[in-house]
Amino acid sequence: MKVVVIGGTGLIGSKLVGKLKEHGHEAVAAAPNTGVNTLTGEGLAEVLEGAPVVVDVSNSPSFADDAVMEFFRTSTTNLLKAEAEAGVRHHVALSVVGTDRLQESGYFRAKQVQEDLIKASGIPFTIVHATQFFEFAKGLADGVTEGDTVRLPAAKIQPMVSDDVAAAVGRATMGDPVGGVVEVGGPEAFELEEFIRMGLAAEDDPRKIVTDPQARYWGAELEENTLLPGPDAQLAGTRFADWLARQRQQ
């Protein structure tokens, strides 16, 4: 089966393309550097020809409120239009656990627009909600650092490794459209402070980490369980401590 992966040269996309090829599918990585641009529509009609399934794991190059909204609205609108014309039978998109609870954030408002466009498109779909990735602990800390202090809200998080995210998207891709959201997360929940502390310690990062009731997460106020998946979520098997240990050995 031909599967077009939008954002197929990125972190999740490249892993997904590899997994699909291992299972004998024709997986096509579609991105600006392969001649496919969802913002302009360039190359979309050509790459979608003969593809019953399209997976969108692309992300905005800018997280500024206006730019990220423009990216997801324009990209998703162009992609869904091209899919309808090509006769695509299953649209799979990667989104984020808690998106609907994080609407104070410009990034998550844009992700919600993306999801709403998919739901209204008439194309059978599956939206995969994943928790934060292990790989992004440092980047998350960078976004809330003041001087040498990382200020984090009091909340829990249930992160997962990008390989397990790609595997979950792959399962959705090979399955029937669910017409809704599938949640995936890691095997363990941490306090946000603990997760970041472990991630920075593994890189010998000396920044001080504090829990601040006024701190925000990508601009949004958090409650304790805002970032956690629900009881029906599919839980991956890779533990954060085990992944960190493997990273140190590389």
Side-chain angles (χ1 to χ4, degrees), residues 14-214:
S14 57
K15 294 176 185 292
L16 176 61
V17 167
K19 290 177 184 295
L20 292 172
K21 286 182 176 180
E22 287 174 6
H23 287 83
H25 299 289
E26 179 190 353
V28 181
N33 60 359
T34 69
V36 180
N37 190 324
T38 53
L39 287 176
T40 65
E42 176 192 2
L44 270 179
E46 294 80 4
V47 78
L48 295 184
E49 187 175 347
V53 181
V54 173
V55 187
D56 186 2
V57 294
S58 63
N59 207 353
S60 174
S62 168
F63 283 11
D65 286 2
D66 291 345
V68 74
M69 181 63 79
E70 174 65 18
F71 175 85
F72 281 115
R73 177 178 282 131
T74 302
S75 175
T76 305
T77 297
N78 289 342
L79 179 57
L80 292 169
K81 181 176 183 292
E83 288 180 21
E85 293 171 352
V88 169
R89 301 194 297 273
H90 189 186
H91 178 98
V92 180
L94 177 61
S95 194
V96 187
V97 164
T99 289
D100 59 336
R101 303 188 290 271
L102 293 162
Q103 292 299 293
E104 288 181 284
S105 162
Y107 180 82
F108 290 102
R109 286 196 298 273
K111 290 297 289 182
Q112 188 64 57
V113 166
Q114 177 192 24
E115 293 187 22
D116 292 343
L117 287 168
I118 292 167
K119 292 173 183 176
S121 69
I123 298 170
F125 69 92
T126 302
I127 297 172
V128 179
H129 272 193
T131 56
Q132 183 63 271
F133 305 169
F134 292 169
E135 289 90 342
F136 292 165
K138 182 179 183 298
L140 200 162
D142 291 345
V144 291
T145 295
E146 299 174 5
D148 63 352
T149 301
V150 181
R151 298 190 177 279
L152 297 164
K156 292 183 177 179
I157 194 167
Q158 198 163 328
M160 61 191 299
V161 72
S162 60
D163 294 275
D164 289 342
V165 177
V169 176
R171 290 193 298 272
T173 301
M174 294 299 98
D176 294 329
V178 302
V181 172
V182 174
E183 283 194 324
V184 297
E188 304 165 292
F190 301 92
E191 294 295 334
L192 189 54
E193 179 182 342
E194 181 186 9
F195 169 58
I196 299 302
R197 190 182 303 281
M198 290 173 67
L200 294 187
E203 299 189 21
D204 298 319
D205 190 316
R207 280 179 284 181
K208 179 183 178 182
I209 301 170
V210 299
T211 295
D212 180 350
Q214 304 303 314

